[in-house]
Amino acid sequence: MADARRAQLKDQTDISGARALIVEARFYDDIQDALLEGALAELKAAGVSHDVITVPGALEIPAAIAIALDAAEQSGKPYDAAIALGCVIRGDTIHFEIVSMESSRALMDLAVARKFPLGNGIITVDTDAQAWARARAGELNKGGDAARAALAMLRIKRRVTRT
């Protein structure tokens, strides 16, 4: 496995008080707990509040984010960023490729079309062992990485859209 290399971003744009949405796929509960733990720690450290929505699988994450963004906007309490968390483990069919590629594509489409900070923490792996290595906060911490990515994009958005 390649070593994780995390750039230390120096942008300190204030995002305290921001509101984030986490949409998690609860297909593998124990792995999902680890991903969520990493994401929540990052949000707490940044002073960002959050809501969590749970969906059955990774393919449902993008639609749930879109639905929640619209509802939050209509209620006058919009989200500032979103984090997608899930795990797709390769099986015996091409379903793995469909789920991993289509969920990722839909998240990218959503982020670009809405110009919305979104961190993709859907891990795609061959084995349970790979999933655990990526999910645990003490190892690769991909839940934390997804939250950091969403927060980094939120800082950029706030910095470049100041009036």
Side-chain angles (χ1 to χ4, degrees), residues 11-159:
D11 188 344
Q12 296 299 311
T13 302
D14 184 26
I15 57 168
S16 61
R19 189 166 174 247
L21 170 67
I22 297 173
V23 176
E24 60 165 2
R26 279 274 163 189
F27 199 83
Y28 300 100
D29 275 335
D30 49 354
I31 293 168
Q32 190 55 42
D33 287 340
L35 288 168
L36 184 59
E37 177 186 341
L40 293 176
E42 292 297 325
L43 294 178
K44 181 178 180 183
V48 173
S49 66
H50 68 277
D51 292 325
V52 178
I53 295 174
T54 301
V55 297
L59 282 176
E60 291 78 33
I61 292 173
I65 291 173
I67 291 165
L69 291 179
D70 287 348
E73 186 72 34
Q74 290 173 4
S75 73
K77 298 177 187 174
Y79 289 106
D80 298 296
I83 301 149
L85 298 176
C87 177
V88 183
I89 300 175
R90 186 180 302 278
D92 295 330
T93 69
I94 66 163
H95 188 65
F96 170 86
E97 283 83 6
I98 293 167
V99 173
S100 61
M101 290 181 190
E102 289 302 311
S103 60
S104 182
R105 180 205 48 81
L107 290 173
M108 184 61 71
D109 289 350
L110 185 63
V112 172
R114 292 186 181 229
K115 300 168 189 71
F116 191 77
L118 196 155
N120 183 351
I122 301 174
I123 58 174
T124 53
V125 297
D126 289 321
T127 66
D128 284 354
Q130 290 174 345
W132 279 112
R134 284 157 181 77
R136 287 190 182 109
E139 293 185 48
L140 293 178
N141 192 18
K142 293 302 181 178
D145 282 352
R148 279 189 296 280
L151 298 178
M153 294 305 294
L154 175 57
R155 286 184 175 97
I156 290 168
K157 184 174 183 176
R158 288 206 173 162
R159 189 178 72 244

